[in-house]
Amino acid sequence: VKPIRFSNHARLQMVLRGATEEEVISAISSGKWETAKVGKFKAKHQFDFKRVALTNKQFYEYKTVEPIFADEPDKVVIVTVKVYYSNEEVKS
């Protein structure tokens, strides 16, 4: 398994959007990799949330974390992280 590195931008987006390093790593490790823009990849993973989101003060059952990353020869570099909150479970 390659080491995972976080860009400064990704770290800032994680704080603003409510994702943790552990969730990002889990999404990359367990999610299906799909192609994203400009030679990057993305993966998604839905987590049980069951609380109020800091972003809009609404209650949500689930949180989906979607890192966008570069798969380099010696490491995976997280470029940014998107987070989606919902009350519907995604069937994988």
Side-chain angles (χ1 to χ4, degrees):
V1 173
K2 295 180 191 179
I4 296 175
R5 303 288 182 247
F6 292 81
S7 70
N8 289 336
H9 175 79
R11 288 192 185 282
L12 176 61
Q13 294 308 308
M14 289 164 57
V15 169
L16 294 174
R17 296 174 176 165
T20 66
E21 275 193 28
E22 293 79 15
E23 290 167 339
V24 171
I25 292 167
S26 178
I28 290 172
S29 301
S30 65
K32 179 181 164 220
W33 289 22
E34 298 176 14
T35 56
K37 294 180 182 177
V38 196
K40 304 290 188 286
F41 294 91
K42 62 184 178 178
K44 290 182 186 177
H45 186 78
Q46 187 176 68
F47 299 91
D48 286 339
F49 189 63
K50 299 186 187 340
R51 61 182 162 245
V52 174
L54 294 174
T55 54
N56 67 359
K57 310 295 187 234
Q58 300 289 321
F59 179 88
Y60 294 102
E61 292 282 335
Y62 304 101
K63 171 173 70 172
T64 300
V65 175
E66 181 185 59
I68 309 297
F69 54 95
D71 184 20
E72 297 184 356
D74 59 338
K75 64 186 174 277
V76 171
V77 178
I78 311 302
V79 177
T80 194
V81 178
K82 298 178 182 180
V83 180
Y84 306 96
Y85 296 94
S86 73
N87 288 312
E88 295 182 23
E89 185 175 9
V90 175
K91 305 292 183 203
S92 35

